[in-house]
Each structure stands twice: as C-alpha cells, then as structure tokens.
Amino acid sequence: MSVMNDLDLKLKEAENQLDQTQETIWSIRKLLASNQDAAPCDGQPKRDPVEDKVTVRKMLAKKSAEGYTDQVKELLHKFGAEKLSDVDPKDYEDLYYSAEGLGQ
C-alpha cells in the first residue's frame, strides 16, 4: 500500500509543478502582450545609445546600398563627423530621421 501512496504523492507533486509552469507561461505571455502593445518594434531609435547606434548604422548602410553614399557622408559631416562613431549619441535620433529622408 505504501507504493500506491508514494505514487499518489509523486503524481500530486507533478500536478502542482504543472500548475506552476502553466501560471508562469501565462504571466510571460501577458508581459509579452503588454510590451507589444506599449512599444511596437518599428526599427526606430529606442533612446539607448548602444541600440540607437546599431539602428542608425543599419539605416545609413541601407541608404548607402540604395546609392546615397555621398549624401550619407554629407549627413555625417553636418553632424561634425567623418564616421558614425564620431557622432554624439544625443544626435543619433536626428541623424536617423535625416538619413531616413534621403531620396524622398
């Protein structure tokens, strides 16, 4: 009989762990949904200098690949830089939107 009690106890523990796992999954899904509603990912600067630099670099590379290399260089010069790493991080947002407007 003790084997049955032991198995019953293990089954109850497994059910509890399953319940906890399901609650955790539900909480994570809820957080993900609220983050998606609050801040859609549209590739625009995120006010974090490291992320912004990566985003701006992608935009400049895209515009350069589209044939606007000279305009990209001029834009960098307007911000007092020869290359992106010379641009002040507070100017990343303005640089991004300026680059986005190239060719339009």
Side-chain angles (χ1 to χ4, degrees), residues 60 69-88 91 95 98 102:
L60 295 177
T69 304
D70 292 336
Q71 291 89 335
V72 167
K73 288 180 183 179
E74 287 176 27
L75 209 60
L76 287 170
H77 289 147
K78 285 182 184 178
F79 286 89
E82 289 292 319
K83 53 190 176 186
L84 181 57
S85 59
D86 296 335
V87 175
D88 189 334
D91 292 328
L95 178 57
S98 296
L102 291 176

Side-chain angles (χ1 to χ4, degrees), residues 42-56 88-97:
D42 55 6
Q44 295 180 354
K46 296 168 182 53
R47 308 307 326 151
D48 173 11
V50 174
E51 288 183 31
D52 284 356
K53 186 175 185 178
V54 171
T55 303
V56 172
D88 189 334
K90 69 178 176 61
D91 292 328
Y92 286 163
E93 184 176 15
D94 291 336
L95 178 57
Y96 175 89
Y97 289 115

Side-chain angles (χ1 to χ4, degrees), residues 29-45:
R29 285 187 176 154
K30 186 176 177 181
L31 283 172
L32 287 172
S34 68
N35 284 341
Q36 288 174 352
D37 293 340
C41 182
D42 55 6
Q44 295 180 354

